[in-house]
Amino acid sequence: MSLRQFAAAALVSATFGFAVSPAHAVTEIQWWHAMTGGNNDIVNKLAEEFNASQSDYKVVPTFKGAYPDTMNAGIAAFRAGNAPHIMQVFEVGTATMMSAKGAIKPVYELMKDAGEPFDAKAYLPAITGYYSTSKGDMLSFPFNSSSMVMWINKDELKKAGVAEIPKTWPEVFEAAKKLKAAGHDTCGFSNAWASWANIEQFSAWHNVPIGTKANGLDGFDTVLEFNSPLHVKHLQNLVELQKDKTYDYSGRGSASEGRFGSGECAIFLTSSGYYATAKNTAKFDFTSAPMPYYPDAQGAPQNSIIGGASLWVMGGKTADEYKGVAKFFTFLSDTNRQAKLHQESGYLPITKAAYEKTKADGFYEKNPTLQTPLKELTNKEPTENSRGLRFGNMVQMRDVWSEEIEAALAGKKTAKEALDAAVARGNAMLRTFEKTAK
C-alpha cells in the first residue's frame, strides 16, 4: 500500500463508538504496543495508574508483536477503518509516519487542541529532534527512547581472565577469544538488531555517514554510503570470527537477547532498554559499557543515536478521544513518573526535569548502568553523521541490509560485495519512497 493510500485510509476510517450511557460514560483509548518481558509489565502498570487517577478515560494497552508487526498491524487497521488511538512505532518508522498526511494527528496539534500544557523544550533535545519537523514541531510523543550499549557478564569475563571491560573492537575480539577458550563454545560475543548495531549505530559512533543529506534528515533524496572501507573492514572481521563462533550472529531483531541473560554470550550489544529484562533474568553480576570503536578511526568515538520508539496518535478520532490521549501524555510527562520509568525500565528519561531529578537523587552513583546510553548520546556534539537518520521504507530496508550481512557471514559474498549490494538495493527502495512521498 502506497503512502497516499495509507493516508487516504486514515481519512475515511470510522470512529469508535461506545455503548455506554452518558451518566457514567468512560471513553476507551486503545494503545497498541510492542513491549515484551519486564517492559510489557511496565506498560500495563502505566495504563492501570492512569485509569485509577481519573474516571473519564480508560487506556487499554494491547501487545501487537515486535516493532515491525505492530506497525504492519496499524497499517492494516487503517485500511479496515478500526485503527487504535495510539500506536507505538519504532524510530526507523518515523519517515513513513511523517509522510502519511492525514493518517496521524501531530502531537503538538493534539496538545494545543485539547488545552493541555505542553512545551517541546521541556523534553531532551537528543530525543525530540528525531520526532520533530525542521521547525521543531513534535509529531509524535517520545516514549521508550534508548541507545545501543554493550552488555557485560562481569563474572564470566573474570573467569576467562579478562581483567578490564573492552573499550575498542580489537579488545572485544581478544576478550571473546578468551571467553571461547574458557568454555563459551557457541558465542564469544554477539549482538541483537543486526543492521542497527553494525550499520546505523556503528556509523554514528565512528562519525561516518550512512547516507547523504545528513542521513536523510535534510531531505528524502538521500544516497546511501555505508560501503566505506571502515564498514567493509568491520563486516570482514565479523565474517572471520563467525567461522569458529568467536562471534555468533544473533538475528535481525531482539529475540536473541536471552542469549545474554542465560549466560551463553558474555558480551552482547543491544538496546539499553534491555535493562528491565536483564534485571529480572540474569543470575550473574552484569553491567553495560559504551559501544566499542576502532581506535584508528579518526574522531571515534563520536556520539550514539537514539533507538526505541515513540507514540503516534492516529487520525479520524473524536475530540473527546483526543482529549483523553492528550491527558494520558500529560500523565506520562510527570517528572516523578518519568524518573521512575527511566530507573525501572532502562529507557531514557524523556524530560530534562526527570534527568536532573535522577542525577540529584544520586541514582547513577549506585546504578551507573543506566547512565551509559546518556553518556553515549552526549559524548560529543552531534555531526551530520550522528544526528540520527530518517529514511523512507526503513523497516523494509533493514531486512535487505540484514539479508546482505547474513550472506557475507554465510560465505556467499565477500564483505564488500554484501555492503555494495545493500547500498544499491537500499537506494532503489529510497527512490521508490520518494515517488510516494511527494
Side-chain angles (χ1 to χ4, degrees):
M1 180 174 67
S2 72
L3 284 166
R4 287 197 181 96
Q5 291 171 318
F6 180 57
L11 290 171
V12 300
S13 65
T15 58
F16 284 104
F18 297 93
V20 290
S21 65
H24 56 274
V26 176
T27 303
E28 285 197 1
I29 306 297
Q30 299 295 327
W31 176 17
W32 289 6
H33 69 88
M35 295 284 89
T36 58
N39 289 327
N40 179 66
D41 297 337
I42 289 171
V43 163
N44 290 332
K45 189 175 179 183
L46 282 171
E48 289 170 6
E49 289 176 354
F50 174 73
N51 296 341
S53 72
Q54 45 71 54
S55 58
D56 295 326
Y57 304 98
K58 180 182 180 183
V59 170
V60 182
T62 304
F63 173 69
K64 284 290 180 177
Y67 283 133
D69 301 324
T70 301
M71 190 169 176
N72 290 337
I75 291 173
F78 271 112
R79 300 178 73 176
N82 60 356
H85 302 80
I86 304 170
M87 187 165 73
Q88 184 189 31
V89 178
F90 58 165
E91 87 286 5
V92 293
T94 300
T96 300
M97 297 300 289
M98 284 179 69
S99 301
K101 307 297 183 187
I104 63 165
K105 175 80 169 176
V107 164
Y108 75 95
E109 287 184 9
L110 170 90
M111 302 301 276
K112 182 179 179 182
D113 292 349
E116 286 294 313
F118 179 73
D119 179 7
K121 293 179 181 178
Y123 300 83
L124 288 174
I127 297 172
T128 54
Y130 209 108
Y131 303 118
S132 301
T133 66
S134 56
K135 296 179 181 178
D137 293 329
M138 276 173 58
L139 299 176
S140 63
F141 184 82
F143 179 60
N144 56 307
S145 294
S146 63
S147 197
M148 178 160 278
V149 299
M150 182 168 61
W151 292 94
I152 298 291
N153 182 329
K154 294 167 73 175
D155 294 343
E156 290 304 301
L157 259 66
K158 187 175 181 180
K159 288 179 190 174
V162 180
E164 294 185 4
I165 293 173
K167 291 185 175 63
T168 68
W169 276 114
E171 289 171 359
V172 168
F173 302 153
E174 286 306 308
K177 288 172 184 174
K178 290 182 178 179
L179 285 163
K180 191 169 181 300
H184 288 265
D185 298 334
T186 59
C187 178
F189 78 99
S190 189
N191 59 268
W193 301 108
S195 72
W196 192 40
N198 297 307
I199 294 175
E200 299 157 45
Q201 290 286 8
F202 179 86
S203 300
W205 199 228
H206 288 84
N207 196 25
V208 291
I210 307 170
T212 60
K213 292 287 184 81
N215 295 335
L217 288 171
D218 290 346
F220 286 143
D221 53 338
T222 180
V223 178
L224 300 174
E225 296 182 309
F226 59 82
N227 53 348
S228 74
L230 180 63
H231 290 96
V232 171
K233 177 174 85 168
H234 180 59
L235 182 54
Q236 185 57 42
N237 283 334
L238 298 184
V239 168
E240 292 302 319
L241 295 168
Q242 174 76 47
K243 291 175 182 176
D244 70 352
K245 292 192 180 293
T246 297
Y247 169 77
D248 192 49
Y249 181 73
S250 288
R252 303 178 184 185
S254 62
S256 59
E257 288 175 340
R259 299 185 78 186
F260 179 77
S262 69
E264 181 192 1
C265 299
I267 300 176
F268 197 90
L269 277 78
T270 192
S271 170
S272 57
Y274 173 62
Y275 173 75
T277 301
K279 185 172 63 173
N280 291 335
T281 59
K283 307 299 182 187
F284 49 81
D285 188 14
F286 70 87
T287 190
S288 69
M291 292 179 289
Y293 61 95
Y294 286 98
D296 56 347
Q298 188 174 358
Q302 172 59 39
N303 65 277
S304 67
I305 51 179
I306 68 163
S310 63
L311 303 181
W312 290 81
V313 183
M314 301 297 101
K317 306 303 179 185
T318 67
D320 184 51
E321 289 167 333
Y322 282 142
K323 191 167 185 64
V325 174
K327 284 188 174 299
F328 182 52
F329 286 175
T330 297
F331 171 88
L332 290 178
S333 299
D334 174 76
T335 299
N336 290 333
R337 185 164 292 108
Q338 268 300 312
K340 184 180 178 185
L341 185 62
H342 162 53
Q343 294 166 22
E344 289 181 352
S345 70
Y347 284 109
L348 308 179
I350 63 170
T351 64
K352 296 174 184 175
Y355 182 35
E356 291 303 323
K357 175 177 171 50
T358 303
K359 283 197 294 186
D361 289 347
F363 181 81
Y364 295 127
E365 293 166 18
K366 298 176 183 176
N367 302 274
T369 297
L370 291 185
Q371 199 171 18
T372 303
L374 289 158
K375 286 182 175 179
E376 288 181 327
L377 285 164
T378 58
N379 186 56
K380 288 178 182 172
E381 196 66 28
T383 69
E384 286 205 343
N385 299 327
S386 65
R387 279 165 49 200
L389 56 98
R390 192 174 289 160
F391 300 124
N393 287 336
M394 186 64 188
V395 178
Q396 297 86 346
M397 268 206 303
R398 266 187 168 174
D399 282 337
V400 165
W401 298 354
S402 296
E403 191 177 292
E404 295 297 342
I405 289 172
E406 289 160 3
L409 293 171
K412 296 176 182 176
K413 293 183 178 182
T414 65
K416 188 174 190 314
E417 288 170 345
L419 291 178
D420 285 346
V423 163
R425 294 173 68 189
N427 281 330
M429 295 172 80
L430 288 174
R431 303 293 79 80
T432 299
F433 177 80
E434 276 178 59
K435 294 174 184 175
T436 63
K438 287 178 179 176

mmCIF file of all heavy atoms in Angstrom, residues 106-127:
data_model
loop_
_atom_site.group_PDB
_atom_site.id
_atom_site.type_symbol
_atom_site.label_atom_id
_atom_site.label_comp_id
_atom_site.label_asym_id
_atom_site.label_seq_id
_atom_site.Cartn_x
_atom_site.Cartn_y
_atom_site.Cartn_z
ATOM 1 N N PRO A 106 -0.730 15.118 14.618
ATOM 2 C CA PRO A 106 0.535 15.560 15.214
ATOM 3 C C PRO A 106 0.368 15.902 16.697
ATOM 4 O O PRO A 106 -0.625 16.522 17.089
ATOM 5 C CB PRO A 106 0.902 16.800 14.400
ATOM 6 C CG PRO A 106 0.219 16.604 13.078
ATOM 7 C CD PRO A 106 -1.078 15.912 13.421
ATOM 8 N N VAL A 107 1.325 15.516 17.506
ATOM 9 C CA VAL A 107 1.218 15.700 18.951
ATOM 10 C C VAL A 107 1.116 17.173 19.340
ATOM 11 O O VAL A 107 0.351 17.528 20.238
ATOM 12 C CB VAL A 107 2.406 15.012 19.666
ATOM 13 C CG1 VAL A 107 2.543 15.505 21.092
ATOM 14 C CG2 VAL A 107 2.197 13.505 19.669
ATOM 15 N N TYR A 108 1.863 18.032 18.656
ATOM 16 C CA TYR A 108 1.803 19.452 19.033
ATOM 17 C C TYR A 108 0.410 20.021 18.777
ATOM 18 O O TYR A 108 -0.065 20.879 19.518
ATOM 19 C CB TYR A 108 2.891 20.254 18.313
ATOM 20 C CG TYR A 108 2.651 20.551 16.853
ATOM 21 C CD1 TYR A 108 2.082 21.756 16.450
ATOM 22 C CD2 TYR A 108 3.004 19.623 15.867
ATOM 23 C CE1 TYR A 108 1.876 22.041 15.117
ATOM 24 C CE2 TYR A 108 2.787 19.896 14.526
ATOM 25 C CZ TYR A 108 2.231 21.096 14.158
ATOM 26 O OH TYR A 108 2.024 21.370 12.829
ATOM 27 N N GLU A 109 -0.278 19.524 17.745
ATOM 28 C CA GLU A 109 -1.657 19.942 17.478
ATOM 29 C C GLU A 109 -2.613 19.327 18.499
ATOM 30 O O GLU A 109 -3.529 19.995 18.992
ATOM 31 C CB GLU A 109 -2.080 19.527 16.071
ATOM 32 C CG GLU A 109 -1.452 20.327 14.948
ATOM 33 C CD GLU A 109 -1.988 19.914 13.593
ATOM 34 O OE1 GLU A 109 -2.965 19.129 13.539
ATOM 35 O OE2 GLU A 109 -1.417 20.364 12.580
ATOM 36 N N LEU A 110 -2.391 18.062 18.794
ATOM 37 C CA LEU A 110 -3.232 17.350 19.764
ATOM 38 C C LEU A 110 -3.261 18.084 21.097
ATOM 39 O O LEU A 110 -4.331 18.337 21.659
ATOM 40 C CB LEU A 110 -2.696 15.930 19.957
ATOM 41 C CG LEU A 110 -3.308 15.136 21.111
ATOM 42 C CD1 LEU A 110 -4.530 14.365 20.628
ATOM 43 C CD2 LEU A 110 -2.291 14.169 21.727
ATOM 44 N N MET A 111 -2.085 18.422 21.620
ATOM 45 C CA MET A 111 -1.995 19.037 22.938
ATOM 46 C C MET A 111 -2.607 20.439 22.930
ATOM 47 O O MET A 111 -3.289 20.836 23.883
ATOM 48 C CB MET A 111 -0.537 19.078 23.398
ATOM 49 C CG MET A 111 0.146 17.710 23.457
ATOM 50 S SD MET A 111 -0.668 16.528 24.554
ATOM 51 C CE MET A 111 0.037 16.988 26.146
ATOM 52 N N LYS A 112 -2.393 21.172 21.844
ATOM 53 C CA LYS A 112 -2.950 22.515 21.731
ATOM 54 C C LYS A 112 -4.475 22.459 21.675
ATOM 55 O O LYS A 112 -5.173 23.202 22.387
ATOM 56 C CB LYS A 112 -2.395 23.205 20.488
ATOM 57 C CG LYS A 112 -2.890 24.633 20.306
ATOM 58 C CD LYS A 112 -2.281 25.257 19.051
ATOM 59 C CE LYS A 112 -2.807 26.683 18.849
ATOM 60 N NZ LYS A 112 -2.251 27.283 17.602
ATOM 61 N N ASP A 113 -5.005 21.573 20.815
ATOM 62 C CA ASP A 113 -6.458 21.461 20.658
ATOM 63 C C ASP A 113 -7.135 21.013 21.951
ATOM 64 O O ASP A 113 -8.266 21.417 22.243
ATOM 65 C CB ASP A 113 -6.795 20.466 19.544
ATOM 66 C CG ASP A 113 -6.384 20.965 18.166
ATOM 67 O OD1 ASP A 113 -6.032 22.152 18.046
ATOM 68 O OD2 ASP A 113 -6.400 20.146 17.211
ATOM 69 N N ALA A 114 -6.443 20.164 22.723
ATOM 70 C CA ALA A 114 -7.022 19.629 23.959
ATOM 71 C C ALA A 114 -6.834 20.572 25.148
ATOM 72 O O ALA A 114 -7.368 20.325 26.226
ATOM 73 C CB ALA A 114 -6.407 18.270 24.281
ATOM 74 N N GLY A 115 -6.057 21.639 24.938
ATOM 75 C CA GLY A 115 -5.831 22.595 26.015
ATOM 76 C C GLY A 115 -4.934 22.067 27.125
ATOM 77 O O GLY A 115 -4.978 22.549 28.256
ATOM 78 N N GLU A 116 -4.091 21.086 26.777
ATOM 79 C CA GLU A 116 -3.168 20.532 27.768
ATOM 80 C C GLU A 116 -1.853 21.299 27.751
ATOM 81 O O GLU A 116 -1.364 21.682 26.677
ATOM 82 C CB GLU A 116 -2.902 19.047 27.470
ATOM 83 C CG GLU A 116 -4.048 18.110 27.808
ATOM 84 C CD GLU A 116 -4.319 18.037 29.301
ATOM 85 O OE1 GLU A 116 -3.355 17.879 30.077
ATOM 86 O OE2 GLU A 116 -5.496 18.150 29.694
ATOM 87 N N PRO A 117 -1.241 21.532 28.925
ATOM 88 C CA PRO A 117 0.055 22.238 28.947
ATOM 89 C C PRO A 117 1.114 21.419 28.214
ATOM 90 O O PRO A 117 1.217 20.210 28.419
ATOM 91 C CB PRO A 117 0.374 22.350 30.443
ATOM 92 C CG PRO A 117 -0.431 21.264 31.095
ATOM 93 C CD PRO A 117 -1.685 21.123 30.267
ATOM 94 N N PHE A 118 1.852 22.092 27.345
ATOM 95 C CA PHE A 118 2.834 21.359 26.540
ATOM 96 C C PHE A 118 3.928 22.299 26.064
ATOM 97 O O PHE A 118 3.652 23.322 25.445
ATOM 98 C CB PHE A 118 2.141 20.695 25.348
ATOM 99 C CG PHE A 118 3.073 19.942 24.441
ATOM 100 C CD1 PHE A 118 3.620 18.725 24.842
ATOM 101 C CD2 PHE A 118 3.393 20.440 23.190
ATOM 102 C CE1 PHE A 118 4.477 18.024 24.006
ATOM 103 C CE2 PHE A 118 4.259 19.743 22.340
ATOM 104 C CZ PHE A 118 4.789 18.541 22.753
ATOM 105 N N ASP A 119 5.175 21.945 26.376
ATOM 106 C CA ASP A 119 6.324 22.729 25.936
ATOM 107 C C ASP A 119 7.375 21.763 25.405
ATOM 108 O O ASP A 119 7.984 21.006 26.165
ATOM 109 C CB ASP A 119 6.900 23.549 27.099
ATOM 110 C CG ASP A 119 8.113 24.373 26.697
ATOM 111 O OD1 ASP A 119 8.420 24.414 25.477
ATOM 112 O OD2 ASP A 119 8.755 24.958 27.578
ATOM 113 N N ALA A 120 7.586 21.769 24.104
ATOM 114 C CA ALA A 120 8.532 20.840 23.484
ATOM 115 C C ALA A 120 9.939 21.001 24.060
ATOM 116 O O ALA A 120 10.719 20.039 24.078
ATOM 117 C CB ALA A 120 8.555 21.057 21.977
ATOM 118 N N LYS A 121 10.256 22.194 24.565
ATOM 119 C CA LYS A 121 11.598 22.440 25.100
ATOM 120 C C LYS A 121 11.834 21.754 26.441
ATOM 121 O O LYS A 121 12.957 21.706 26.934
ATOM 122 C CB LYS A 121 11.836 23.941 25.236
ATOM 123 C CG LYS A 121 11.893 24.661 23.898
ATOM 124 C CD LYS A 121 12.100 26.152 24.073
ATOM 125 C CE LYS A 121 12.136 26.857 22.720
ATOM 126 N NZ LYS A 121 12.288 28.317 22.863
ATOM 127 N N ALA A 122 10.764 21.213 27.037
ATOM 128 C CA ALA A 122 10.909 20.514 28.319
ATOM 129 C C ALA A 122 11.485 19.114 28.132
ATOM 130 O O ALA A 122 11.929 18.484 29.085
ATOM 131 C CB ALA A 122 9.550 20.411 29.015
ATOM 132 N N TYR A 123 11.508 18.649 26.883
ATOM 133 C CA TYR A 123 11.967 17.289 26.590
ATOM 134 C C TYR A 123 13.426 17.319 26.122
ATOM 135 O O TYR A 123 13.915 18.334 25.620
ATOM 136 C CB TYR A 123 11.062 16.654 25.531
ATOM 137 C CG TYR A 123 9.612 16.571 25.976
ATOM 138 C CD1 TYR A 123 8.766 17.661 25.832
ATOM 139 C CD2 TYR A 123 9.110 15.429 26.586
ATOM 140 C CE1 TYR A 123 7.449 17.624 26.277
ATOM 141 C CE2 TYR A 123 7.798 15.371 27.029
ATOM 142 C CZ TYR A 123 6.972 16.466 26.876
ATOM 143 O OH TYR A 123 5.680 16.420 27.317
ATOM 144 N N LEU A 124 14.116 16.216 26.304
ATOM 145 C CA LEU A 124 15.534 16.160 25.929
ATOM 146 C C LEU A 124 15.683 16.330 24.420
ATOM 147 O O LEU A 124 15.117 15.551 23.644
ATOM 148 C CB LEU A 124 16.145 14.824 26.356
ATOM 149 C CG LEU A 124 16.381 14.622 27.851
ATOM 150 C CD1 LEU A 124 16.852 13.198 28.135
ATOM 151 C CD2 LEU A 124 17.408 15.612 28.389
ATOM 152 N N PRO A 125 16.457 17.319 23.968
ATOM 153 C CA PRO A 125 16.567 17.596 22.529
ATOM 154 C C PRO A 125 17.154 16.444 21.722
ATOM 155 O O PRO A 125 16.820 16.273 20.549
ATOM 156 C CB PRO A 125 17.464 18.839 22.475
ATOM 157 C CG PRO A 125 18.161 18.889 23.801
ATOM 158 C CD PRO A 125 17.220 18.270 24.777
ATOM 159 N N ALA A 126 18.024 15.637 22.324
ATOM 160 C CA ALA A 126 18.610 14.497 21.611
ATOM 161 C C ALA A 126 17.532 13.492 21.212
ATOM 162 O O ALA A 126 17.707 12.716 20.282
ATOM 163 C CB ALA A 126 19.654 13.805 22.486
ATOM 164 N N ILE A 127 16.419 13.528 21.943
ATOM 165 C CA ILE A 127 15.312 12.619 21.663
ATOM 166 C C ILE A 127 14.269 13.287 20.775
ATOM 167 O O ILE A 127 13.881 12.748 19.734
ATOM 168 C CB ILE A 127 14.658 12.140 22.978
ATOM 169 C CG1 ILE A 127 15.669 11.351 23.808
ATOM 170 C CG2 ILE A 127 13.424 11.302 22.690
ATOM 171 C CD1 ILE A 127 15.184 11.009 25.209
#
